[in-house]
Amino acid sequence: MNFHLKPLNLRTLATEKLDVLVVIVDATFKSAQDTLTRCVAKATQAGDFQGKSGQILDIYRPDGIVASHLVLAQVGAGGVADVKKAVTAAFASIKASKPQRLTLCFLQKPSALTVRVALTTLADASYVYTTTKSKAEDRSLRDVALACPVDKDVRAAFDRAVAAVMGIELAKEWGNRPANHATPTHIAQAARALAKLPHVKCQVLGPKEVAKLGMGAFQAVAQGADQPLRFIVLRYEGAPKASGPIVLVGKGITFDSGGISIKPAAEMDEMKFDMCGAASVLGVFKALAQLQPEINVVGLIPSCENLLSGRSVKPGDVVTSMSGQTIEVLNTDAEGRLVLCDALTYAQRFKPRALLDVATLTGACVIALGGVRSGFFCTDEAMSAALLQAGESAQDPCWPMPLDDDYAEGLKTSFADVANVAGRAGGAILAAKFLQRFAGKQPWAHLDIAGTAWKSGTAKGATGRPVGLLLDYLLSVAAYNE
Ligand code: BES
Ligand code: MN
Ligand code: ZN
C-alpha cells in the first residue's frame, strides 16, 4: 500500500480516476462553488446527511465526479474518536467493492493527531493476513492519498503516520504468524532482513554464544524445546557514537505452552502471540529506518519456545542468571521474566541512557487494564512523562502502575536469591518487581502488553501495539536532542 500527500484542490479531486473519494465533513462545513462541496451541501440540505458524528453517506457515481464512490463521512466536532469512527464506517461501506485507489480528503488543515488516526485507522480496517492461507486475497487497496491543506506540520505528521503504519504492519505480520511459521530462527531472519535498511545492523547469537555469556535464565526456558534459541541484537545508528542509545527489549517467546506448569488447552493457540513484544521491536526498527531520526537505538530480542520435554526446566529448579543472581523457578509458566532478565543484564554493555522492555508478560495485566491501555511501570519521572505522552500522541495509550518495594516481599525464597513467582495478587506488579532487580541504574521502563498486543474472539489478530507508542517516544527523545 502506497501513501501520498496531496495539497487540496477540490476541482482536480472531482476529476481524478479513483475508486473511492472519502470526504471528511465536520461541524464547520461550508459549501463553496465546486461540484464536490455542492454535493455535500445538497445531501445536508435534503436531510440525508446530518451532523451526527460517525454518519456516512455512500453515493455511487455522483454527477460531475469521476470517482466511482463518493463517501461523505461526518466527524462532528472532529475529535480523534470521531475521525476513527467515521473512517472505519466509510471503509466498511465500500470494502466489498474491493477498492484499489482511495483518496481521503480533509477540507480544513488536519491536526497531527487527526492525520495519525485517519491513516492508522484506514490501514487497520483494510489489513488482511495472508501468509498461511493457500488462496488468500491480499488487501485490495494499493494507493491511498491524503488530500488536505498542506504545510510542514501536516507533512511531518503524514511521514510519521506512514512510518508508524509500516512498523505496525510488520509487527502484526510476525505476531499473527503461527508458531511453526515464526520460530526463533524465523524471527532472527526477519531481523536480519531489517539490517538491509539504511543505518540498521543486526547480530544474531545462538545457543553456544548465549551459554558463554552465562544467560542461565534464558537457557532454562529454551532447554525444553527442539527449536534452538536466538538472541537478536538490532542497532539503529542515527546519531554519533558518543550519544548513548535507548535500548528496547522485546519478549520473543514464539510459543508459550507454560512448560511443565502447563497451561489449560482452551485458547492455548493464542500463546503464539507471546512474541508480540519482539514483533513490536522489529516494527519500530522498520519505522526508524524510514524516518532516519538522529538517535541511537538498540533492540534486543531473546527468542525461544516454552515447551515440555524430558529436558524442560522443572518447578523448583534453581538457575543462575547472567547477572549472577540465582532464581528459583517455582512456575515454568512465568518464563517471560526469565528470558527478559538476562536481556536486561546484557543491555548494560551499551551504557543505555534509558532501557525499556516490552512483553506480553502477565494475564494479571489483562485483568487489571483489559485491552485498552498497556500496563506501564517506570523508575524515572522524565521518562515516564515522555512515554505517557507518546501513548497519547500515538493513540496507543498506557497506564502507570506502582513499583513499591513492598510488592516484592513474596519473591523471597530460602533456596535462591529470588523466586520467579509469588501469589496471584498484584501479578503484573510482581512481574515488574522481578524485572526491576535486573534493570540497572539508568532510567528503566516496562510495558506489559498482554492485554493490548492482540485481540481474541472473532477479530482474533495482532494489533501491532505498542509500535506507535515506542516510535513517538523515540522521536520525542530525538527532538529533545536537537
Ligand atoms: N505469556 C503469558 C502471559 C499471558 C497470559 C498473556 C494470558 C496474555 C494472556 C506469561 O508467560 C504467563 O504465562 N504468565 C503467567 C504468570 C504466572 C505463572 C505468575 C500468568 O499470567 O498466568
Ligand atoms: Mn508463560
Ligand atoms: Zn509467556
Side-chain angles (χ1 to χ4, degrees), residues 65-138:
I65 292 163
V66 177
S68 309
H69 290 259
L70 169 66
V71 181
L72 311 183
Q74 176 62 245
V75 295
V80 166
D82 297 309
V83 176
K84 193 169 182 174
K85 207 158 100 187
V87 172
T88 306
F91 190 78
S93 80
I94 44 93
K95 193 173 183 176
S97 71
K98 299 185 183 160
Q100 296 188 6
R101 301 192 55 194
L102 179 148
T103 291
L104 191 59
C105 161
F106 286 87
L107 301 168
Q108 254 111 48
K109 190 186 119 167
S111 69
L113 272 178
T114 301
V115 171
R116 183 70 164 263
V117 74
L119 296 191
T120 50
T121 304
L122 193 58
D124 215 35
S126 62
Y127 174 84
V128 219
Y129 170 81
T130 60
T131 310
T132 44
K133 293 205 176 182
S134 67
K135 292 187 204 74
E137 261 187 68
D138 209 341

Side-chain angles (χ1 to χ4, degrees), residues 130-336:
T130 60
T131 310
T132 44
K133 293 205 176 182
S134 67
K135 292 187 204 74
E137 261 187 68
D138 209 341
R139 64 145 59 92
S140 66
L141 270 190
R142 288 281 147 260
D143 270 295
V144 173
L146 178 67
C148 61
V150 173
D151 64 7
K152 81 173 205 318
D153 297 339
V154 172
R155 189 164 293 281
F158 173 82
D159 290 343
R160 188 184 284 208
V162 172
V165 167
M166 296 305 158
I168 288 167
E169 300 215 333
L170 183 68
K172 279 189 182 181
E173 172 63 24
W174 283 101
N176 284 335
R177 282 195 196 191
N180 63 331
H181 293 261
T183 62
T185 307
H186 290 132
I187 305 288
Q189 278 163 2
R192 278 214 183 88
L194 286 170
K196 294 211 162 64
L197 302 173
H199 296 126
V200 181
K201 289 184 187 151
C202 174
Q203 188 192 1
V204 178
L205 311 184
K208 278 199 195 115
E209 290 102 327
V210 162
K212 210 162 158 203
L213 284 164
M215 293 185 167
F218 179 23
Q219 282 179 289
V221 178
Q223 74 192 30
D226 290 336
Q227 285 291 337
L229 64 77
R230 291 291 181 260
F231 189 85
I232 302 162
V233 184
L234 275 162
R235 287 159 167 271
Y236 167 77
E237 290 166 347
K241 282 215 164 27
S243 161
I246 293 191
V247 179
L248 304 178
V249 177
K251 172 178 173 184
I253 299 294
T254 57
F255 189 75
D256 180 10
S257 71
I260 299 296
S261 314
I262 194 168
K263 288 181 181 294
E267 278 124 49
M268 205 207 271
D269 66 290
E270 295 193 5
M271 284 299 118
K272 73 170 184 178
F273 293 117
D274 212 18
M275 35 58 72
C276 282
S280 75
V281 172
L282 297 177
V284 167
F285 273 75
K286 172 114 187 180
L288 289 174
Q290 192 159 327
L291 290 172
Q292 295 288 315
E294 289 183 18
I295 188 177
N296 293 328
V297 183
V298 173
L300 302 177
I301 298 175
S303 182
C304 67
E305 297 180 327
N306 186 23
L307 289 181
L308 306 84
S309 78
R311 281 172 286 116
S312 294
V313 68
K314 304 168 293 297
D317 283 2
V318 174
V319 300
T320 305
S321 67
M322 186 182 174
S323 72
Q325 296 178 70
T326 57
I327 303 165
E328 187 185 21
V329 183
L330 287 175
N331 188 319
T332 65
D333 198 10
E335 86 297 341

